[in-house]
Amino acid sequence: LKDASLMDAEANGIQKRSRATRSVYERLRSGKVYHLVKAFGITADQFAQNALHSGRKRYTEDTSERPDDMADGLIDPPEYNTGSHVLRAAKAMFAEEIATSPRMRSLMRRTYYTGGEFDCYRTEKGLKKIDEDHPYYEFKYLRGQTFNAIARRPDLYLRMLKAEDEGLVDVKLSIQGFREFKQKLYQEIESDNFSEVADAWNALRRE
């Protein structure tokens, strides 16, 4: 639940990324590794646009090289001494761009608000302390509580936060039909080509 609050805070610019983190990604954008990020064949914003079905569809393009072969040619010592280091850095950079895309943030907020569910699990500490007379008993075994239901009970939400802070419950947030949602996202980022190279790139995009 705290992760959900953090996600919403970040979306509103409340949580500031550290200078060190920004510096790493800035160096990646100006270095050789970023050639591999571009080779994903679609930008993070274009991917988000596809997922939102906003405007015309953006098609993913494949390069002529496998990602691991391309990574071997982009080794950039001293930070990226091997192809696997380059691949890992490029994936992290692309994931960062997806996570900070305003369109993708909008999609994820909408998805959580319309399909998000909260489940409460009592901890061992909670098992001992929360009895039928305890103020947290109402949500000790809460399951499948939707965002809309939580929005109508802000007092309940605050008590759940407090109970989690006290170590009495763990609150988990999930998306209804997450597997299907993920498969739909794959369709918006993968290329339609049929080749060993395309398969290798699509596998990397799914990661």
Side-chain angles (χ1 to χ4, degrees):
L1 190 55
K2 285 181 284 189
D3 291 341
S5 300
L6 180 60
M7 177 192 71
D8 198 50
E10 287 178 340
N12 288 283
I14 297 173
Q15 294 293 327
K16 303 299 183 182
R17 292 160 57 209
S18 69
R19 290 183 180 179
T21 300
R22 287 200 302 269
S23 177
V24 168
Y25 288 124
E26 285 166 2
R27 289 200 304 272
L28 281 172
R29 285 192 181 94
S30 62
K32 293 168 65 176
V33 172
Y34 202 68
H35 291 292
L36 188 60
V37 178
K38 291 180 178 178
F40 272 80
I42 188 170
T43 68
D45 195 59
Q46 288 170 342
F47 167 42
Q49 182 178 325
N50 284 349
L52 282 167
H53 304 291
S54 172
R56 66 182 181 86
K57 182 175 175 63
R58 304 288 182 155
Y59 291 94
T60 303
E61 299 178 359
D62 295 314
T63 68
S64 59
E65 282 186 283
R66 289 174 52 92
D68 49 351
D69 292 335
M70 180 177 288
D72 288 339
L74 294 172
I75 292 171
D76 192 12
E79 292 181 298
Y80 310 108
N81 294 310
T82 67
S84 62
H85 289 165
V86 173
L87 271 174
R88 192 159 53 244
K91 283 196 299 182
M93 180 76 253
F94 193 54
E96 169 72 5
E97 292 184 345
I98 291 172
T100 56
S101 162
R103 283 193 174 105
M104 184 56 71
R105 286 178 176 268
S106 174
L107 171 67
M108 294 309 299
R109 283 197 301 271
R110 187 178 72 185
T111 300
Y112 274 107
Y113 292 156
T114 58
E117 287 187 339
F118 292 98
D119 295 303
C120 254
Y121 300 93
R122 53 104 184 115
T123 63
E124 288 300 317
K125 181 179 177 182
L127 177 63
K128 298 174 182 176
K129 293 196 66 172
I130 304 177
D131 57 22
E132 292 184 6
D133 298 321
H134 197 282
Y136 298 157
Y137 185 77
E138 179 183 2
F139 52 82
K140 182 178 180 180
Y141 299 107
L142 180 145
R143 297 288 187 276
Q145 190 82 344
T146 66
F147 253 102
N148 285 335
I150 288 289
R152 292 193 295 268
R153 294 283 310 278
D155 60 311
L156 177 66
Y157 174 77
L158 292 175
R159 283 190 290 130
M160 288 165 63
L161 279 179
K162 190 170 186 295
E164 189 173 50
D165 282 339
E166 292 173 9
L168 300 178
V169 300
D170 288 323
V171 183
K172 305 297 183 183
L173 174 61
S174 60
I175 297 174
Q176 298 176 43
F178 177 71
R179 183 176 298 178
E180 292 77 11
F181 172 70
K182 188 166 63 172
Q183 288 300 323
K184 288 179 181 178
L185 288 183
Y186 287 162
Q187 293 172 13
E188 305 301 346
I189 196 173
E190 294 177 353
S191 78
D192 297 327
N193 298 323
F194 295 95
S195 69
E196 182 185 351
V197 170
D199 289 346
W201 276 106
N202 281 337
L204 185 64
R205 293 171 186 127
R206 286 193 294 271
E207 291 178 16

